[in-house]
Amino acid sequence: MPLHGLLLPRLASPAPRLLRATLAPSPPLLGFASASAARGLAAPLRAVVPADQREVGLDNQGNPGRPLRVGLVCGGPSAERGISLNSARSVLDHIQGEDLVVSCYYIDSAMNAFAISPAQLYSNTPSDFDFKLESLALGFHSLSDFAEHLATNVDIVFPVIHGKFGEDGGIQELLEKANVPFVGTPSKECQHAFDKHSASLELDTQGFLTVPNFLVEKEKLDKPELEGWFQTINLSKDNGKVIVKPTKAGSSIGVVVAYGVNDAAQKAEEIISEGIDDKVIIEVFLEGGTEFTAIVVDVGTANNSEPVVLLPTEVELQDSSSCEAKEDTIFNYRRKYLPTQQVVYHTPPRFPAEVIDCIREGVSILFRRLGLHDFARIDGWFLPSPVTSLPSAENSGKFGITKYGAVLFTDINLISGMEQTSFLFQQASAVGFSHSRILRTVVQHACSRFPSLAPCINAWTALSRKLQSSKQAEAIYKGTSRQKVFVIFGGDTSERQVSLMSGTNVWLNLQGFDDLDVTPCLLAPANGYFSSHDQDFSDISREVWTLPYPLVLRHTTEEVHAACVEAAEPERVEITSRLREQVMNELGPALNKYDWFPGFDIAYEQPVKYSLEQWINHVKEAGAVVFIAVHGGIGEDGTIQTMLESAGVPYTGPGPIASKTCMDKAATSLAVDHLTSYGVRTIPKDLRATEEVLNSSLVNIWNELKAKLQTETVCVKPARDGCSTGVARLCCPKDLEVYSNALRRKFQRLPANCLSRAHGVIEMPVPPPESLIFEPFVETDEIIISKKLENGSARHLVWKGENDWLEITVGVVGKRGEMHSLNPSITVKESGDILSLEEKFQGGTGINLTPPPVTIMSEDALQRCKKSIEIMANTLGLEGFSRIDAFVNVRSGEVLLIEVNTVPGMTPSTVLIHQALAEEPPVYPHRFFRTLLDLAFERSSGASD
C-alpha cells in the first residue's frame, strides 16, 4: 500500500527476492578464529579454551591456579527450550568470572549439538536462536563427538536442559559414557525420578502418601478400566474432577483439568496425539489443597549425602475476576512463568510450623532415597484437615500425615528452572545466598564428588583466593567505601511489569561490581495496587520501598508490594527469622568444612517505606546515583528527573525537558520536523482528546481522519504511553467503535482478532489516556523466515521488497550532543506464526536481526540511517541512553520517526542487549549497564564543574 505521499518517491521495486540469511558475524568464540565459520561455512571444530588454561595446578602450596572450565549445555527437544535458554542466560550471568570460564553449547530440537558464543544466549526466542544457529554456530557431527569434545575442553558440565533429554537421564548417560563430570543426578536415578508414574510408585514403596492416579499409554486407553478407577476413588464418572498431565514433561506443559471419564479420556488422548508425551497420568484433583515447592541442596561429601531443604514456597492461586475457563484453576505454564496477578508466592509458606517441618523432612528423605545429587526441586500439596480429597489418608499410616492435614509430594524436578526470579533464587536468597553464591556452591559441590577433579578444585580455589586478596588490597588502597546505587522500578502504568523485569535485570547485573552497593527500589502508589481504576492516579501520593534481596524476585509489582506489606507483619517476621536461622544452622557447619565456600553473602533485612520525597532525600544523603527503570508515567515524563535534578542527585537517562518532550508523541514529531534535509521525516498526526472520541459520532470521526490523513487505514495509540500499549490498526468505523468501547469500559486488554484485521492481544492503558493520536498506518515489507526443507538446507529470508520500508528499533548511547547510534534491529516472524504471549514475556519478540542483513539493507544505507538517528537524538537533547523506533527506507537510509523511549526496556533479552553485543568489541549486559551508570556520573561531575 502506498504511504499517501508521506515519503520520498519509491525507487524502482525489484522482483520478489529469496535471500540467504547473511548475518553480521558474532564475536569469535575463544579459539575460533575463522571468519568463514562465523558465517556458517564448513570449518573444523577447535578447542574453546586457550592452551595456557588447560594445564592443571596439582597442589595447594603456592599454586597460581587456573580458572575452572564449565560447559553450559542448554536447549533440548522439549517445549521447555525457551525456559532452558532463559536458565542458561541466568547461569552464565552469575557464575562466569576471572576464576571460572564458561563455554556454551546448545542442543536443538533435532538433537544436533552446537558450540555457541555466550552472546547467542541473549537471543529473544527459541525461533530467533535456531535461525541464527545456521550461520553463527559450529555444529558437531554427532552427540558422541560432542561428548568427546567436552571430555577434553571442560572440567565439568552444567546441564540446564529442562524436560526431555535433560531430566530423563539422556544428557547424563551421554556424559557418563564419555567420563565427563557433570552437575546433578546420574542417568539411572533421573530416569526413575523424572517419570511421574514411576516416581509415584516409588514414593508409595518408600512409605509416602501419594495422589491416586491412573496411567494411560499410547493406543492403550481402556475406558471401562478408567471408569472402574473413578469408582474406586469415589469420583463421579460423569463430572469427577481430575488432573490430566504428561508423565515426562516439566514446566506444567500439557497439564489440564478434566471432568468425568469421557473428558479425561479425551484430554489424555489429545496430549498423546499432540506429541507432548506417549504416556499420561490422570490424578485426583486435590480440592482445597495448596501447592508448595521446595529446593534442596546437597552439602555432604561424595560418599555421604547431606541434603538440606531451603525455605519452601507456598503457591497461592487467587480467584480471577475474569471469565477464564473453569479448568484454568491450576498452576499452569502461564501462571508459572508469566506476569499474572492470579499467583502469589509466600516464602516460607503460611502453614503451621509442624507442616513446614514435615515438608522439609520429607524432601530430605526423598533426595537420599531416590539417589539425587547436588540439587533438585520437589513439588507437592498440603491438604488441610479434614482431608476430603483422599478419604483413606487419615488412617493410611504413611509419611505425610500431620494433625493439621496431609502433605503429599507429586513432582521431582531434577534440573530446576534458573531464571532470574525462579524458586531456586527466591528460596536461596531467603537463607543467605545470592544468585552467584548458590550457583557456584552447586557447581563446587558437584566438583567435589569427582576425585578426578581434585587438582582442578585445588587450582580453582588457589586462583579464587588470589583474586579475592587482590580485590581486598585494591579496596584498601582506594578506600573501603562503595558507591551507592538505587535502582528504581515499578510504577502504576500498564508497563509496570516490564519495568519490574528491567529493574531486576539491571540490579542483578550491577551487583557483580565490587565497587558498587546496589539497592533495588519499588515505586508504588501510596495505597498500593488495589484501588479502583476510577481513581485519578495523578492525585495519589507516591511511595517507594527499598527492598531486601529476596523480595525483588517476584513476577509482578503487585506481588512485590504485597510481600513488603506481609514482611512487616510481626508474626511473619518471627516465623521467617526462626526458619532462616534453622536452615542456615544446617547449611553453615557443613559448607564451612570446604575450603572453597566463602560464606553467605545476603544479610536479612526488612523492606523500608518512604514517600517519594523522603526517598529522594535518603538517596541524596547517601551520595547515591539513581538508575531509573520506571517505564511510562512519572518515570518517563520528566517528573522523577525534575525531582532528582532539583535535589542534585545524579540519574541515568535524559533530563527533564527531553523526557517530557519524548513522552508526548506529538511534541516529539514537532521537535524534529525541521530535519527533513538530514534524512529524518515524521508521520502526520491527528491529536484528539479521548473524551471527544467517546462522546462524538464515530462515523464522522472516521471520515475526518481519512480526509485529513489521506489514508484508508489508521493507527491509533495513546499520546503518552509506551511498550505498544493501546496501539491498534483500525480499518473501518466498526474497529473504532470496538476500540472506543474498550476505553469507555476500562478494559485491561482487547482480545485477539476482535478487530477486522487479524491481531494478537492488545494491552490497553488503564485508566484511559487523556488524549489519542491517529496516524496513517504505514505498510512495511514483511520479512518471513522460511521453514527448513526436508533436504536439510538452511532456512532463509523471504522479502518481496515492494515498499522498501522496514520497521527498526535502535538504541542510542552517549553524552548530550554526542549520542552514538547502535546498530538497528529488525524483527521478522516465521511464516504463519502469530507471536505468543510466552514469546513476548519469556524472551522478547520474534526473530531479531542486528544489524539488518546486507541482502536487505546496504552498508551505505545503514550508515546513513545511523547518522540520521544520531542527529535526531542530539536534536531532542537525549543523553545517557534511549531507544528510537522508526521506519527506514532500505535503499536511501531515510528515517521515518515512530516514537522515542527515554527509559527503554532492559529485560534480559531486550533488543538493546543484542545491539550492545553487536558492537566491536561486544559489550555484555553487566558492562552495558555499568556504562549507562558511568554516563550518569560523568554528567553529574560535568554539572558540578
Side-chain angles (χ1 to χ4, degrees):
M1 176 189 237
L3 296 181
H4 308 290
L6 296 179
L7 312 176
L8 292 176
R10 288 191 288 121
L11 301 174
S13 296
R17 278 172 270 183
L18 204 66
L19 306 172
R20 285 289 171 195
T22 308
L23 306 180
S26 65
L29 288 162
L30 201 57
F32 294 135
S34 170
S36 63
R39 288 186 174 265
L41 303 180
L45 188 64
R46 304 296 182 193
V48 297
V49 178
D52 61 358
Q53 291 184 6
R54 294 180 211 147
E55 295 300 321
V56 178
L58 298 179
D59 59 65
N60 294 310
Q61 308 300 320
N63 193 306
R66 71 148 175 83
L68 185 75
R69 304 170 303 168
V70 176
L72 188 62
V73 184
C74 63
S78 82
E80 300 172 75
R81 280 188 307 135
I83 306 301
S84 174
L85 289 175
N86 292 344
S87 289
R89 185 188 305 127
S90 179
V91 172
L92 174 68
D93 282 345
H94 295 295
I95 67 170
Q96 65 180 340
E98 294 177 81
D99 62 336
L100 194 153
V101 176
V102 180
S103 300
C104 299
Y105 303 92
Y106 178 76
I107 295 176
D108 69 8
S109 56
M111 298 296 289
N112 299 306
F114 299 85
I116 61 174
S117 161
Q120 285 179 259
L121 284 182
Y122 298 92
S123 293
N124 276 7
T125 63
S127 294
D128 184 27
F129 194 94
D130 289 345
F131 177 69
K132 293 172 183 176
L133 272 177
E134 297 167 6
S135 57
L136 298 183
L138 291 171
F140 295 88
H141 293 296
S142 66
L143 287 178
S144 59
D145 287 345
F146 171 50
E148 290 178 14
H149 166 85
L150 293 173
T152 57
N153 287 279
V154 303
D155 299 317
I156 191 167
V157 167
F158 197 148
V160 288
I161 298 175
H162 303 307
K164 187 177 180 180
F165 196 67
E167 296 178 86
D168 63 0
I171 183 73
Q172 293 81 3
E173 185 176 9
L174 178 71
L175 297 172
E176 286 165 352
K177 288 180 178 178
N179 293 316
V180 178
F182 59 89
V183 175
T185 299
S187 61
K188 183 179 178 181
E189 287 76 7
C190 282
Q191 291 168 15
H192 292 151
F194 182 63
D195 185 304
K196 293 179 176 64
H197 185 252
S198 297
S200 177
L201 295 176
E202 182 64 24
L203 286 171
D204 185 64
T205 301
Q206 295 289 344
F208 285 84
L209 194 61
T210 59
V211 183
N213 63 69
F214 182 88
L215 178 66
V216 177
E217 298 186 75
K218 187 176 183 180
E219 299 178 355
K220 293 183 180 180
L221 175 59
D222 187 331
K223 192 173 287 189
E225 187 178 346
L226 179 58
E227 286 186 15
W229 178 77
F230 265 71
Q231 292 175 354
T232 300
I233 57 175
N234 299 321
L235 278 181
S236 167
K237 68 176 184 178
D238 297 320
N239 56 16
K241 193 173 181 180
V242 293
I243 294 284
V244 184
K245 57 186 177 183
T247 62
K248 292 178 287 188
S251 296
S252 300
I253 289 173
V255 179
V256 292
V257 173
Y259 297 87
V261 171
N262 291 334
D263 191 28
Q266 179 183 336
K267 286 176 176 172
E269 290 178 333
E270 287 173 357
I271 291 172
I272 293 172
S273 64
E274 289 171 8
I276 298 175
D277 199 352
D278 57 4
K279 290 195 301 182
V280 174
I281 56 172
I282 300 172
E283 292 182 341
V284 171
F285 186 93
L286 300 176
E287 202 75 62
T290 301
E291 194 166 356
F292 65 81
T293 186
I295 296 291
V296 54
V297 295
D298 191 359
V299 295
T301 61
N303 300 317
N304 183 25
S305 175
E306 191 177 336
V308 174
V309 182
L310 307 185
L311 296 188
T313 298
E314 171 194 352
V315 180
E316 179 190 8
L317 292 182
Q318 299 186 325
D319 292 335
S320 171
S321 58
S322 68
C323 55
E324 283 189 273
K326 189 176 181 182
E327 58 263 30
D328 195 27
T329 54
I330 55 176
F331 191 42
N332 57 17
Y333 179 95
R334 289 184 169 224
R335 285 175 169 157
K336 186 171 287 188
Y337 294 109
L338 307 180
T340 172
Q341 296 181 41
Q342 296 166 20
V343 178
V344 176
Y345 301 130
H346 303 277
T347 305
R350 300 166 302 171
F351 303 156
E354 180 184 330
V355 173
I356 296 175
D357 289 342
C358 179
I359 291 171
R360 295 189 66 241
E361 180 185 359
V363 170
S364 179
I365 293 171
L366 278 175
F367 191 92
R368 278 197 180 98
R369 292 187 181 176
L370 296 177
L372 310 187
H373 286 176
D374 300 325
F375 79 122
R377 194 188 86 230
I378 296 179
D379 304 337
W381 289 79
F382 168 56
L383 298 174
S385 297
V387 186
T388 56
S389 300
L390 301 173
S392 61
E394 300 287 1
N395 303 308
S396 67
K398 290 187 176 282
F399 182 93
I401 300 299
T402 75
K403 68 180 180 180
Y404 298 100
V407 172
L408 302 94
F409 301 103
T410 56
D411 294 278
I412 298 160
N413 300 273
L414 300 155
I415 301 179
S416 178
M418 287 166 273
E419 297 177 292
Q420 288 183 340
T421 58
S422 67
F423 292 122
L424 171 65
F425 301 126
Q426 287 182 33
Q427 296 181 23
S429 63
V431 293
F433 292 101
S434 65
H435 285 60
S436 176
R437 189 60 48 88
I438 187 62
L439 288 172
R440 281 175 166 244
T441 296
V442 168
V443 171
Q444 287 162 319
H445 180 270
C447 288
S448 70
R449 291 190 293 104
F450 296 92
S452 63
L453 291 183
C456 296
I457 288 288
N458 293 340
W460 180 22
T461 303
L463 177 60
S464 297
R465 286 175 174 170
K466 180 179 178 182
L467 291 171
Q468 188 61 35
S469 297
S470 176
K471 289 178 181 178
Q472 290 173 348
E474 184 178 1
I476 292 172
Y477 176 75
K478 291 183 176 180
T480 56
S481 63
R482 296 188 296 167
Q483 174 61 51
K484 290 188 177 295
V485 179
F486 288 79
V487 180
I488 186 167
F489 47 83
D492 49 26
T493 73
S494 57
E495 304 169 66
R496 62 188 181 273
Q497 312 306 359
V498 178
S499 174
L500 173 59
M501 297 166 70
S502 292
T504 301
N505 190 44
V506 170
W507 162 63
L508 287 172
N509 272 279
L510 293 179
Q511 284 273 347
F513 292 94
D514 293 325
D515 61 335
L516 299 180
D517 180 5
V518 190
T519 301
C521 305
L522 175 73
L523 172 68
N527 63 338
Y529 289 96
F530 310 106
S531 61
S532 166
H533 292 310
D534 291 330
Q535 286 185 280
D536 184 353
F537 279 78
S538 64
D539 293 334
I540 297 175
S541 61
R542 307 287 173 163
E543 65 181 34
V544 179
W545 292 77
T546 56
L547 305 172
Y549 197 116
L551 294 196
V552 187
L553 307 179
R554 300 292 192 273
H555 284 135
T556 67
T557 53
E558 290 82 357
E559 194 185 344
V560 175
H561 184 265
C564 289
V565 175
E566 183 180 282
E569 296 172 0
E571 184 179 353
R572 288 294 289 175
V573 171
E574 190 277 327
I575 292 172
T576 302
S577 299
R578 177 175 55 80
L579 288 172
R580 173 187 167 92
E581 183 178 358
Q582 177 184 336
V583 175
M584 293 182 73
N585 285 341
E586 295 172 20
L587 289 166
L591 288 173
N592 287 330
K593 296 176 183 177
Y594 296 104
D595 291 340
W596 45 257
F597 183 65
F600 300 107
D601 58 346
I602 299 297
Y604 180 70
E605 298 174 337
Q606 285 290 102
V608 180
K609 182 173 70 173
Y610 301 87
S611 70
L612 180 55
E613 185 178 7
Q614 290 171 335
W615 178 77
I616 289 177
N617 289 333
H618 173 62
V619 172
K620 182 179 181 179
E621 291 171 3
V625 63
V626 173
F627 199 116
I628 301 175
V630 178
H631 303 314
I634 68 170
E636 208 162 349
D637 68 2
T639 300
I640 286 181
Q641 291 82 356
T642 298
M643 296 178 72
L644 291 171
E645 203 153 284
S646 297
V649 175
Y651 58 90
T652 56
I657 296 176
S659 297
K660 184 176 181 179
T661 299
C662 294
M663 185 70 168
D664 188 321
K665 297 178 178 68
T668 308
S669 291
L670 288 174
V672 299
D673 199 39
H674 63 290
L675 298 178
T676 305
S677 61
Y678 295 98
V680 176
R681 303 288 292 269
T682 60
I683 305 174
K685 291 175 172 56
D686 184 282
L687 180 66
R688 293 179 183 246
T690 302
E691 198 66 27
E692 173 196 345
V693 174
L694 297 182
N695 296 314
S696 302
S697 166
L698 297 181
V699 173
N700 289 343
I701 290 177
W702 182 257
N703 291 332
E704 290 170 7
L705 291 172
K706 285 176 60 179
K708 178 179 179 179
L709 300 176
Q710 291 294 294
T711 184
E712 295 294 324
T713 308
V714 172
C715 179
V716 61
K717 62 184 74 172
R720 296 164 60 85
D721 218 328
C723 285
S724 299
T725 301
V727 180
R729 180 180 186 176
L730 310 179
C731 300
C732 59
K734 181 65 177 176
D735 286 349
L736 180 57
E737 180 184 343
V738 171
Y739 189 88
S740 300
N741 186 53
L743 292 175
R744 181 179 291 106
R745 298 177 63 179
K746 299 181 175 64
F747 288 171
Q748 294 189 29
R749 59 191 59 85
L750 276 176
N753 302 321
C754 66
L755 302 174
S756 56
R757 286 288 295 262
H759 63 86
V761 174
I762 299 173
E763 300 292 329
M764 297 295 288
V766 178
E770 293 182 2
S771 55
L772 298 168
I773 284 179
F774 295 91
E775 301 172 342
F777 184 85
V778 178
E779 287 281 3
T780 58
D781 287 330
E782 185 175 69
I783 303 174
I784 296 174
I785 304 296
S786 72
K787 298 294 185 182
K788 195 164 187 174
L789 301 180
E790 291 183 2
N791 61 12
S793 62
R795 296 187 298 174
H796 50 265
L797 303 176
V798 179
W799 177 53
K800 293 182 178 180
E802 293 176 346
N803 293 316
D804 293 333
W805 290 89
L806 294 175
E807 186 171 348
I808 61 169
T809 186
V810 55
V812 288
V813 181
K815 300 178 182 178
R816 185 171 183 178
E818 302 176 15
M819 295 299 282
H820 165 69
S821 171
L822 302 176
N823 280 307
S825 302
I826 59 174
T827 300
V828 300
K829 67 178 183 179
E830 292 189 271
S831 179
D833 288 345
I834 296 176
L835 197 62
S836 69
L837 181 65
E838 282 82 357
E839 288 180 323
K840 286 181 180 178
F841 280 103
Q842 282 303 303
T845 55
I847 295 173
N848 279 336
L849 302 180
T850 306
V854 294
T855 46
I856 291 178
M857 188 176 187
S858 70
E859 181 65 24
D860 286 344
L862 176 64
Q863 294 306 320
R864 287 195 293 272
C865 167
K866 292 173 68 174
K867 184 66 177 176
S868 295
I869 292 291
E870 290 173 353
I871 291 172
M872 191 189 314
N874 291 329
T875 300
L876 290 168
L878 302 182
E879 54 190 315
F881 72 117
S882 295
R883 193 191 79 220
I884 296 175
D885 296 335
F887 299 105
V888 63
N889 187 296
V890 297
R891 303 294 193 85
S892 67
E894 184 184 30
V895 171
L896 182 63
L897 174 64
I898 300 175
E899 65 180 19
V900 179
N901 296 275
T902 53
V903 184
M906 292 167 276
T907 58
S909 59
T910 181
V911 70
L912 287 182
I913 299 299
H914 298 185
Q915 294 174 9
L917 289 166
E919 290 291 288
E920 189 56 50
V923 182
Y924 279 82
H926 68 287
R927 179 51 59 186
F928 177 68
F929 294 129
R930 181 59 189 260
T931 298
L932 305 184
L933 200 64
D934 291 343
L935 285 169
F937 280 122
E938 289 181 29
R939 176 173 63 188
S940 175
S941 300
S944 61
D945 293 344

